[in-house]
Amino acid sequence: MIRAGRVSFVQTRDELAETASVAVGTRPSMFVKHKRYTAAGHPPPINSPGARVLLWDSEQTAAYYAGTPVPPLPTEDDGEDLLDRNEAAALLEVSAKSWDTYKHTPEITPHLVKVKGVEHCPRRIVTAYRSARQAGPGDAAKPGRPHGSGDMVPRDEIPREIGALLEEDPAVTSKTVMTELGLSYVTVTRTLARLRGEHIADLITSQPDLTPQDAARQLGYPTAVHRTAIAHAQTEIRARAARPYIQEIADTLAGAGLAEHQDVTVTHLADDHIAAALVLSHGAPAPALVWDERSGWRTATSRRHPIRRNTGQPPQGEPIGDSDGAPRPAPAQLLAALTARTDRTDEATRQN
């Protein structure tokens, strides 16, 4: 950081090389090439570790190359200290990537300054923004994405990003994930519950004698999240058990020419129910079939969105043959019912 009142002393690596090369008897380019500024006892850069552009305090470096004692920099924090990207992010307890988003808020943007080409923000501005997020009224107190914006992580990358944080800290909180990744509360809580549930299901599968509660404790999940994580784990276990049956149905229909070959996916619905959809071929009696663990097989009117995921309601299409009330009819039984429906549809078309 640039301590308060010391902007005039800031120097870049090239500026340091120009002045120091005279003292060490070398060309500036050789000074940089051999990284003479990394020698033992040399004043360290004043910006954060890992910064792309290194900066020094010229009063310190001048003393070093003059062979005089290097004056210490102030150690007490001041509201006018200028923080670089990494330092501002650390003060907010977010990633540098998240800071790149927050710095565009109206509370911060007008106060950003560039010193020697490096962007900085006064400590007092970052501190005030942090305080507002933690305790202030309204949206400023809320972690996560800025108001009015979408999730900051592409949808298909969200599970991987949250999964990495969960692997690093099994007890990671929703607030931490929201702040770190710039995601909404709903996105974070749903994804955390799903990932924890899948991990519990994995552990129970490998150690069948474990109870879900024991698995959750063994994985290090906080007691407060056990209920939702275990509920998702139980749903996930049912989904894994149902998938071979649904895949057998899909293969049977494909073999009869009523559907293309497809790898089935079992979907978690609201209220911890599961369902799966099979897209049918053109000319079949319906665009798709939906299997729901509560009501068996029914037709669907949409190929793109055959399952209404977040309603918790069973499918509204017509039941297929004898599957109504029998959630898992045999593949041959379902094929016969669907073939009969196809024949009736063809007959009605000819009559019209």
Side-chain angles (χ1 to χ4, degrees), residues 151 153-163 181 183 187 191 194-195:
D151 288 332
V153 178
R155 181 178 299 180
D156 57 352
E157 296 180 12
I158 288 175
R160 177 176 58 82
E161 294 288 343
I162 295 181
L181 300 180
L183 299 173
T187 297
T191 306
R194 178 170 67 82
L195 292 175

Side-chain angles (χ1 to χ4, degrees), residues 143-312:
R145 61 186 183 184
H147 178 70
S149 66
D151 288 332
M152 301 301 173
V153 178
R155 181 178 299 180
D156 57 352
E157 296 180 12
I158 288 175
R160 177 176 58 82
E161 294 288 343
I162 295 181
L165 295 177
L166 184 61
E167 183 176 355
E168 182 178 333
D169 178 12
V172 66
T173 65
S174 296
K175 181 178 179 180
T176 297
V177 177
M178 291 164 63
T179 302
E180 184 74 14
L181 300 180
L183 299 173
S184 70
Y185 175 79
V186 171
T187 297
V188 169
T189 53
R190 284 180 178 172
T191 306
L192 276 176
R194 178 170 67 82
L195 292 175
R196 284 181 169 130
E198 289 174 357
H199 294 165
I200 292 172
D202 290 340
L203 190 56
I204 291 175
T205 300
S206 63
Q207 301 180 39
D209 292 337
L210 278 180
T211 66
Q213 290 77 11
D214 289 339
R217 284 191 289 268
Q218 186 170 321
L219 289 166
Y221 297 152
T223 303
V225 305
H226 281 192
R227 184 179 64 82
T228 54
I230 288 172
H232 194 97
Q234 292 168 334
T235 305
E236 176 66 16
I237 290 171
R238 296 200 314 277
R240 295 178 185 183
R243 188 182 182 282
Y245 162 71
I246 300 167
Q247 186 65 59
E248 185 180 6
I249 294 290
D251 294 343
T252 299
L253 297 182
L258 291 173
E260 298 293 331
H261 287 283
Q262 54 195 294
D263 292 327
V264 301
T265 299
V266 181
T267 301
H268 292 220
L269 304 178
D271 300 330
D272 297 320
H273 296 298
I274 58 174
L278 302 179
V279 177
L280 300 182
S281 301
H282 292 284
L289 292 183
V290 172
W291 176 83
D292 185 289
E293 65 178 341
R294 296 163 292 180
S295 55
W297 292 94
R298 291 176 178 265
T299 59
T301 58
S302 171
R303 277 189 173 84
R304 293 189 62 188
H305 304 290
I307 299 175
R308 300 189 300 169
R309 294 192 177 194
N310 297 323
T311 65

Side-chain angles (χ1 to χ4, degrees), residues 77-161:
D77 291 341
D78 187 288
E80 297 305 318
D81 291 340
L82 295 180
L83 309 183
D84 66 17
R85 175 177 181 255
N86 296 331
E87 292 161 342
L91 186 55
L92 281 183
E93 298 182 340
V94 301
S95 68
K97 184 177 180 181
S98 294
W99 168 255
D100 291 340
T101 297
Y102 294 127
K103 73 178 185 179
H104 293 295
T105 60
E107 295 86 357
I108 294 176
T109 301
H111 305 282
L112 297 175
V113 295
K114 281 193 174 182
V115 180
K116 302 294 184 177
V118 179
E119 191 173 72
H120 291 76
C121 186
R123 180 187 297 276
R124 59 182 173 80
I125 300 301
V126 182
T127 301
Y129 186 74
R130 181 186 63 180
S131 298
R133 282 167 46 80
Q134 292 176 343
D139 292 337
K142 299 177 183 178
R145 61 186 183 184
H147 178 70
S149 66
D151 288 332
M152 301 301 173
V153 178
R155 181 178 299 180
D156 57 352
E157 296 180 12
I158 288 175
R160 177 176 58 82
E161 294 288 343

